């Protein structure tokens, strides 16, 4: 019985049980499609990364003597529709059985379910064999609870998988070392060069240009620097352990004008494409830590593990718990347009200029730049979360909707009303100055709230609190800030609000 198996672009797990044995009656298919390149405007490096990793995966399968059908973006037989391509292959190759791996994006899951319901042949879906948890695990874990607190889920994951646990208690005496992970990098600790791969993508760039795919960002070299295979991902992981883990926790929230990556692993691209699994990552990092515990503080390893088994698995669980309604939530009723400089980096605000330019140049920004610079600004200017979602999903090479949407609409924009975050992640210039050197050479004065050279974040922050009092005034984590707002001189507040509203109406002047 001839079987066709579909592999999506973010399902490149060479260790999947599908590939343990070869079978002449099984054919695998992968498609580069306009359906996927065009539903949002992607960074050119993201499109390059998808195609490069997919093509490499196809070659890896062929080298293991698997049958593979691969449609490149400009192939004449490519319909650019997932279901039309599948229908065509099923008919042409007399397929009697269709199989696919459960997608991690709701729209693709829905599309494939509808497709299979109409098929007159057998069909089946299997696990991605990637995550620690199943889709429904987090929802079941929090069944009957009013809030889905990540820390509770994280502690349960630690116990369940025996990670940094001694006699059912946290190793080192603390569950969470987040307070040790908030150091500002001042140049006193040397940062090693990041691991650079030289994957030649000349042909892919030509293919993208010929197809006239609309993209954002820049790509001015011939090589793609992120890992595009499992072997490269393992190299990246080993490099992180050897050179970066020792200070990862210390500076994971730090930002600096001269450093794009600091001590971050740059593994998210490989993980989100499933080139390497979270279990691989955690096991390798834990083994390295055990061998070097005399040199590496527990706060470094805990900070990293929390990102993988806590945050990452939690975000995926929240996605499947609340989709598809989650994608349309806008509890703060924000409706403003995303300002033009998000596409150019052309702003006098130093923090935004660096975070956005880094994103445009590299398809990358670490979690605090995304949360407390670009996300913070978008929320303070009361931007429509639909537009914020599209920007985040498009601009980052590691952005897949299951992880992007929950981070953006939930944690960053508080559009879900507090399902993910217990308070909005907003701040004035004080936090930005605390964690970075962005304020040092900025056009604006971080200490001023009003006046032409006053930092826009300051007036925007207090204006936001005042504007959203109805939704946020009773939030227990916001009480101190609302107490300060209530004590503010009424005329001062009016002046601050006028400044903020001028900024919101004229953002591209700032």
């Amino acid at each position: 019985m001839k079987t066709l198996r579909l592999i999506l672009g973010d399902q490149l797990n060479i260790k999947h049980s599908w590939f343990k044995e070869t079978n002449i009656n099984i054919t695998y298919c992968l498609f580069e499609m306009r359906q996927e390149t065009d539903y949002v405007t992607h960074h050119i490096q993201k499109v390059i990364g998808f195609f490069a990793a997919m093509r490499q995966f196809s070659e890896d399968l062929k080298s293991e003597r698997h049958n593979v059908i691969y449609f490149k973006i400009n192939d004449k037989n490519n319909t650019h529709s997932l279901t039309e391509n599948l229908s065509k292959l099923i008919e042409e190759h007399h397929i009697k059985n269709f199989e696919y791996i459960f997608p991690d994006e709701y729209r693709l899951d829905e599309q494939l379910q509808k497709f299979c319901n109409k098929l007159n042949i057998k069909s089946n879906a299997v696990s991605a064999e990637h995550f620690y948890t199943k889709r429904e695990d987090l929802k079941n874990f929090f069944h009957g609870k009013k809030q889905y607190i990540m820390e509770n889920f994280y502690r349960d994951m630690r116990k369940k998988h025996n990670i940094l646990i001694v006699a059912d208690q946290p190793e080192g005496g603390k569950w969470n070392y987040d307070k040790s992970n908030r150091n500002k990098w001042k140049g006193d600790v040397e940062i090693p060069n990041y691991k650079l791969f030289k994957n030649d993508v000349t042909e892919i760039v030509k293919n993208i240009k010929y197809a006239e795919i609309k993209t954002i960002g820049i790509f001015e070299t011939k090589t793609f620097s992120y890992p595009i295979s499992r072997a490269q991902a393992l190299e990246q992981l080993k490099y992180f352990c050897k050179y970066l883990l020792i200070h990862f926790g210390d500076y994971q929230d730090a930002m600096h004008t001269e450093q794009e990556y600091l001590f971050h692993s740059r593994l998210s691209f490989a993980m989100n494409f499933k080139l390497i699994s979270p279990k691989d990552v955690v096991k390798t990092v834990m083994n390295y830590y055990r061998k070097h515990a005399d040199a590496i503080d527990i706060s470094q390893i805990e900070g990293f593990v929390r990102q993988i088994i806590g945050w990452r698995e939690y975000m995926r669980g929240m996605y499947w718990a609340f989709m598809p309604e989650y994608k349309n939530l806008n509890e703060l009723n924000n409706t403003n347009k995303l300002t033009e400089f998000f596409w150019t980096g052309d702003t006098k605000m130093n923090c935004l200029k660096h975070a956005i330019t880094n994103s445009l140049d590299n398809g990358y920004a670490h979690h605090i730049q995304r949360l407390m610079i670009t996300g913070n600004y978008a929320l303070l200017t009361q931007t429509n979360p639909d537009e914020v979602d599209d920007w985040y999903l498009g601009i980052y090479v590691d952005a897949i909707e299951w992880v992007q949407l929950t981070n953006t609409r939930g944690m960053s924009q508080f559009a879900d009303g507090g399902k993910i975050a217990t308070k909005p992640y907003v701040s004035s210039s004080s936090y930005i100055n605390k964690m970075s050197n962005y304020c040092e050479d900025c056009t604006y004065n971080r200490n001023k709230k009003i006046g032409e050279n006053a930092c826009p974040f300051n007036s925007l922050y207090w204006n936001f609190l005042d504007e959203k009092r109805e939704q946020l005034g009773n939030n227990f984590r916001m009480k101190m800030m609302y107490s300060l707002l209530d004590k503010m001189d009424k005329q001062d507040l009016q002046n601050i609000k006028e400044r903020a509203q001028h900024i919101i109406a004229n953002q591209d002047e700032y």
Side-chain angles (χ1 to χ4, degrees):
M1 185 168 67
K2 286 190 174 182
T3 296
L4 181 68
R5 287 176 171 175
L6 170 67
I7 303 169
L8 297 172
D10 65 339
Q11 295 179 336
L12 310 182
N13 175 12
I14 200 69
K15 290 295 184 179
H16 194 280
S17 59
W18 265 4
F19 311 123
K20 284 183 178 179
E21 296 178 358
T22 57
N23 186 326
I24 59 171
N25 290 316
I26 296 175
T27 299
Y28 297 94
C29 61
L30 299 91
F31 310 129
E32 299 171 6
M33 297 176 292
R34 298 304 294 254
Q35 171 186 309
E36 297 305 298
T37 61
D38 295 3
Y39 72 93
V40 70
T41 305
H42 299 283
H43 198 296
I44 184 160
Q45 292 184 39
K46 183 181 181 184
V47 181
I48 290 169
F50 258 103
F51 290 0
M54 289 169 67
R55 292 182 187 188
Q56 181 62 51
F57 192 76
S58 173
E59 293 305 311
D60 290 344
L61 288 181
K62 289 175 183 176
S63 70
E64 296 293 326
R65 299 186 179 180
H66 293 288
N67 299 322
V68 180
I69 296 173
Y70 192 99
F71 286 178
K72 291 184 178 180
I73 193 70
N74 295 309
D75 286 351
K76 291 181 180 178
N77 55 345
N78 188 350
T79 69
H80 295 286
S81 160
L82 175 60
T83 53
E84 288 180 23
N85 278 345
L86 290 172
S87 295
K88 187 175 182 179
L89 293 182
I90 288 170
E91 182 180 355
E92 289 177 355
H93 295 270
H94 309 291
I95 299 298
K96 300 299 181 184
N97 184 43
F98 171 64
E99 297 180 348
Y100 66 97
I101 297 169
F102 282 116
D104 287 305
E105 289 200 44
Y106 185 89
R107 65 184 177 87
L108 292 172
D109 190 60
E110 188 176 45
Q111 186 181 19
L112 284 168
Q113 281 186 39
K114 289 179 179 178
F115 174 72
C116 289
N117 288 339
K118 294 179 181 179
L119 282 178
N120 56 7
I121 62 172
K122 291 181 180 180
S123 63
N124 185 45
V126 301
S127 168
E129 300 176 10
H130 173 80
F131 296 94
Y132 277 91
T133 55
K134 296 176 182 176
R135 283 181 180 178
E136 65 277 6
D137 283 356
L138 182 132
K139 188 173 185 178
N140 292 339
F141 177 77
F142 285 112
H143 180 71
K145 304 289 194 302
K146 289 184 178 180
Q147 286 187 302
Y148 286 45
I149 305 297
M150 194 276 277
E151 182 68 20
N152 297 340
F153 170 75
Y154 168 55
R155 293 182 184 190
D156 183 70
M157 288 286 287
R158 289 264 296 272
K159 290 179 180 179
K160 188 176 290 182
H161 298 283
N162 195 30
I163 299 170
L164 292 173
I165 292 291
V166 177
D168 212 35
Q169 293 299 312
E171 184 174 340
K174 291 182 182 180
W175 285 106
N176 190 311
Y177 288 84
D178 187 46
K179 290 182 179 178
S180 302
N181 302 153
R182 303 173 186 171
N183 295 335
K184 182 175 183 174
W185 185 74
K186 300 177 181 178
D188 49 339
V189 178
E190 185 177 353
I191 300 174
N193 292 328
Y194 64 89
K195 179 74 175 174
L196 176 68
F197 295 95
K198 295 185 178 180
N199 298 303
D200 189 341
V201 291
T202 307
E203 181 190 350
I204 291 173
V205 173
K206 288 179 181 177
N207 293 164
I208 291 170
K209 288 181 179 178
Y210 184 80
E212 297 182 343
I213 296 170
K214 183 183 177 183
T215 60
I216 54 176
I218 64 169
F219 183 72
E220 297 178 334
T221 67
K222 295 180 179 180
T223 57
F224 184 73
S225 66
Y226 292 95
I228 61 169
S229 67
R230 177 176 171 81
Q232 289 186 351
L234 289 171
E235 278 188 62
Q236 181 87 29
L237 176 57
K238 290 174 184 176
Y239 186 89
F240 169 72
C241 290
K242 187 174 181 180
Y243 297 105
L244 303 171
L245 177 60
I246 191 169
H247 290 301
F248 170 80
D250 292 336
Y251 302 108
Q252 67 172 301
D253 289 359
M255 300 171 285
H256 198 276
T257 54
E258 297 174 10
Q259 296 291 333
E260 290 91 359
Y261 304 107
L262 289 101
F263 293 93
H264 288 270
S265 70
R266 297 177 81 246
L267 280 166
S268 57
F269 175 86
M271 291 182 69
N272 292 353
F273 281 54
K274 302 183 181 62
L275 300 174
I276 190 170
S277 76
K279 291 181 181 179
D280 287 335
V281 173
V282 171
K283 182 180 178 181
T284 302
V285 172
M286 283 300 303
N287 286 342
Y288 190 89
Y289 169 68
R290 294 298 180 207
K291 292 176 183 177
H292 302 87
D294 56 332
I296 301 174
D297 190 81
I298 193 172
S299 65
Q300 318 296 339
I301 185 72
E302 188 279 322
F304 186 77
V305 164
R306 188 178 351 117
Q307 298 292 322
I308 307 298
I309 71 167
W311 168 82
R312 189 171 186 267
E313 298 283 331
Y314 171 78
M315 288 299 185
R316 175 174 178 260
M318 292 294 281
Y319 180 82
W320 286 107
F322 293 107
M323 283 294 284
E325 294 80 10
Y326 196 86
K327 193 176 175 70
N328 299 311
L329 294 178
N330 186 3
E331 295 296 320
L332 295 180
N333 300 315
N334 290 333
T335 57
N336 291 331
K337 294 278 293 180
L338 187 68
T339 188
E340 180 64 25
F341 66 63
F342 268 73
W343 308 100
T344 64
D346 186 14
T347 171
K348 291 178 283 187
M349 287 175 275
N350 210 27
C351 57
L352 282 162
K353 185 180 184 68
H354 277 277
I356 293 171
T357 300
N358 185 28
S359 303
L360 292 167
D361 288 353
N362 303 302
Y364 175 87
H366 71 64
H367 64 285
I368 295 299
Q369 291 168 317
R370 300 186 198 195
L371 181 65
M372 298 307 300
I373 304 297
T374 50
N376 184 16
Y377 180 83
L379 182 51
L380 292 179
T381 51
Q382 301 171 48
T383 305
N384 189 325
D386 290 346
E387 298 206 12
V388 184
D389 274 340
D390 285 351
W391 187 80
Y392 276 99
L393 183 58
I395 201 164
Y396 294 118
V397 297
D398 61 4
I400 311 294
E401 190 185 71
W402 66 265
V403 69
Q404 171 274 318
L405 183 69
T406 43
N407 268 283
T408 304
R409 195 166 289 255
M411 194 167 184
S412 171
Q413 298 304 294
F414 206 72
D416 65 1
K419 285 181 170 62
I420 285 178
T422 54
K423 75 175 185 67
Y425 279 87
V426 287
S427 79
S428 62
S429 63
S430 58
Y431 177 85
I432 298 169
N433 183 59
K434 177 184 177 184
M435 296 308 304
S436 76
N437 70 334
Y438 289 153
C439 299
E440 292 177 12
D441 297 317
C442 188
T443 300
Y444 298 104
N445 187 330
R446 64 180 176 84
N447 295 313
K448 295 179 67 176
K449 296 183 181 70
I450 57 173
E452 287 188 9
N453 72 330
C455 174
F457 277 88
N458 293 336
S459 57
L460 288 171
Y461 176 74
W462 293 107
N463 177 71
F464 174 82
L465 293 186
D466 191 60
E467 294 270 312
K468 304 301 179 183
R469 183 186 289 271
E470 182 179 345
Q471 296 100 324
L472 303 174
N474 293 324
N475 185 303
F476 72 99
R477 293 192 66 192
M478 302 288 288
K479 282 187 176 180
M480 184 178 77
M481 300 317 296
Y482 274 104
S483 175
L484 292 174
L485 181 65
D486 290 339
K487 293 174 183 176
M488 192 176 290
D489 180 84
K490 293 292 185 284
Q491 186 57 53
D492 288 346
L493 178 58
Q494 182 60 33
N495 293 339
I496 288 169
K497 286 178 64 65
E498 287 176 5
R499 162 79 170 165
Q501 286 156 18
H502 184 271
I503 292 168
I504 292 171
N506 303 276
Q507 292 182 57
D508 287 314
E509 294 179 10
Y510 290 84

